[in-house]
Structures are given as C-alpha cells and as structure tokens.
Amino acid sequence: MNEKELRSMSGYFLFLIGLVLLFGGVIYVVTTGSPIAGIIISVTGFIILIGLTVINPNEAVVTTFFGDYMGTMKQSGLRWVNPLFRRKKMSLRARNLNGQKLKVNDKLGNPIEIAAVVVWRVGDTAKASFEVDDYIKYVEIQSEAAVRHLAGIYAYDTMEAEELEIHEVTLRDGSGKINEMLEAELTERLSRAGVDVLESRISHLAYAPEIAGAMLQRQQASAVVAARRQIVNGAVGMVDMALAMLSDKGIVNLDEERKAAMVCNLLVVLCGEKSVTPVLNAGTLYP
C-alpha cells in the first residue's frame, strides 16, 4: 500500500456556513415555532462542522471510509473533507531515537557495549498506518536489531590485523563506514513501515566492564610494541645510512669487526630509553 494524496477543500468559508446554519436553526425554532425545519437546519450545520480538520505544518491526516483507505491530507490550515471519513493525525517532523546501551558480542566474541542515535521521520503515511501495527515501536525494535547485527559482524578492535598490517574495518576505527552501513541497514529495515532514516550514528562504544581492564592493558602493550618497532626500524635505517656514507666518501675503511662494533654502539644509543654517556677510546681496538 502506497500513500496517495487526498484533495480537500478550504474550511474557512464552510466554517462560517456551519455556524450560521447551526445557530440559524435554533433562532428559526424560537421565532417561528416550527421545530422540524429548525432541527434540520441545525443538524446540517453540525454535519458541516464535523468535516472540519485543523492540520498543522509538517503534519498529515490519514483518512479511511468504512475500512477503505481514501488518502492522506498534507495541506496545512483549516481543511474540510467528507464528515463520514475517519481521520487520524500523524506527525511528519524529524524524530530522535536515542538507543539504550546494548551488551553484545563482537566478531571475535568479546563482550562490548554499543548504542546508536537514529534521526528518522515518516515518509509514507499509508505504510506507517497499515503495514505495521505500531510504527514507533517498530522503529525502536528494528533499530536495536540493526545495531546488534552490525556489532556481530565487525570486531571492536583487531590488534592482530594491525601487527600484520591488514587493513580491516573495525567498530572503533571505522566509524565513518560503520555509520554508513548502519544507515543503509536501517533504511532497508524501516522501509516497510514507510519511515525515512535521515541520520544514524554510533553514540556509545566500549568494552564490557568485565574485560575492560584486560583489554586496556593489551592496547597499552600493543602501543609499546608498535613504538619499539618504529624506533628499531628508524635506528637500523640510520646505521645503514651512516655506514654507506662512510664507505662512499672514503672517510675511513672499516673491517667487519669494527663495523659490528659501530653498529652495536649506534643501536644502543638510538634505541636506548635514557641518554647515554659517551666514552672516548684513546687507544686502539686491537692489542
């Protein structure tokens, strides 16, 4: 079922006519003493007034007639339709869904806490009214299901992949792509209810309290290892450059033993955590 527009009449003129007929019938009964004609006139005015509906901006009115969907009115102001139509107002304004924190397992089986914020609004009033029982509750349940599904197919943080230099999307680092995938999945899930997803973002992401301390230690250890690896790579490059420059410019000729000693000293200086104290050798390496 798709939404269709219902054309309605402006209700301002009919509002005046209804008031005139309603009170005119009462006055007619009082002045002439003929109740039947006066009642007919008043009832006609009352029926006209029943057909009036006030529609605010960004609001729609879904109408049915004995179970048949007649259409949706979206023109703001005072409107008039068939008084026998059943009318249901529906807001078209953007709404926020601040999802609660969910405790789920990520791709690696680690328990995490995750929550999302969804900005949505009704795009098809017919689907929202007749395809689902309660479209607001439907949005809440499907949003929670989408967040749970997304958390289950991605890892919170893949440290092993970082060590192997494998670029894999994770919940912690791939926030932009994760938000796009969450929005796409929500759009697909909520289209049945005629709901348009304007924006969706992960609002909370953390390890579960029972493993948060252990994971923090693991992250710190990984950071230390990564920093050490970078320092060693830089030191080896500098030593190689120094030996190459000494050899190319012919400043000094070093045999293998002296090269080994020089490499050892340079690596100690470059990789050490504390500043080193230089020791001057006034003699020779050989006895």
Side-chain angles (χ1 to χ4, degrees), residues 48-83:
I48 293 176
L49 293 177
I50 291 177
L52 294 172
T53 301
V54 177
I55 304 178
N56 298 316
N58 278 331
E59 192 175 61
V61 176
V62 180
T63 60
T64 56
F65 182 66
F66 292 105
D68 292 332
Y69 171 59
M70 303 306 297
T72 300
M73 296 186 299
K74 293 184 177 180
Q75 307 97 323
S76 60
L78 183 63
R79 312 300 300 180
W80 187 88
V81 292
N82 190 332

Side-chain angles (χ1 to χ4, degrees), residues 142-182:
Q142 291 300 323
S143 299
E144 179 178 334
V147 172
R148 288 183 180 275
H149 177 258
L150 189 69
I153 61 177
Y154 289 101
Y156 177 89
D157 190 8
T158 310
M159 300 179 186
E160 292 81 0
E162 293 179 357
E163 296 175 0
L164 299 175
E165 297 183 354
I166 300 175
H167 300 286
E168 182 178 348
V169 178
T170 61
L171 295 173
R172 185 171 68 92
D173 298 330
S175 58
K177 188 173 181 179
I178 293 298
N179 291 332
E180 292 177 1
M181 296 189 65
L182 177 61

Side-chain angles (χ1 to χ4, degrees), residues 188-228:
E188 181 181 357
R189 286 174 176 265
L190 300 180
S191 61
R192 179 184 295 273
V195 172
D196 296 334
V197 179
L198 305 180
E199 184 182 3
S200 61
R201 292 186 177 275
I202 301 296
S203 59
H204 174 77
L205 182 64
Y207 281 114
E210 57 266 26
I211 67 167
M215 288 301 177
L216 179 60
Q217 292 179 356
R218 183 179 179 184
Q219 289 177 351
Q220 291 175 344
S222 298
V224 171
V225 171
R228 286 294 181 183

Side-chain angles (χ1 to χ4, degrees), residues 8-65:
S8 59
M9 299 174 57
S10 176
Y12 297 101
F13 181 66
L14 291 173
F15 175 70
L16 295 177
I17 293 177
L19 289 179
V20 170
L21 292 177
L22 181 63
F23 293 104
V26 176
I27 295 173
Y28 183 82
V29 172
V30 173
T31 56
T32 63
S34 176
I36 298 178
I39 292 175
I40 294 176
I41 295 173
S42 296
V43 169
T44 302
F46 180 73
I47 293 175
I48 293 176
L49 293 177
I50 291 177
L52 294 172
T53 301
V54 177
I55 304 178
N56 298 316
N58 278 331
E59 192 175 61
V61 176
V62 180
T63 60
T64 56
F65 182 66

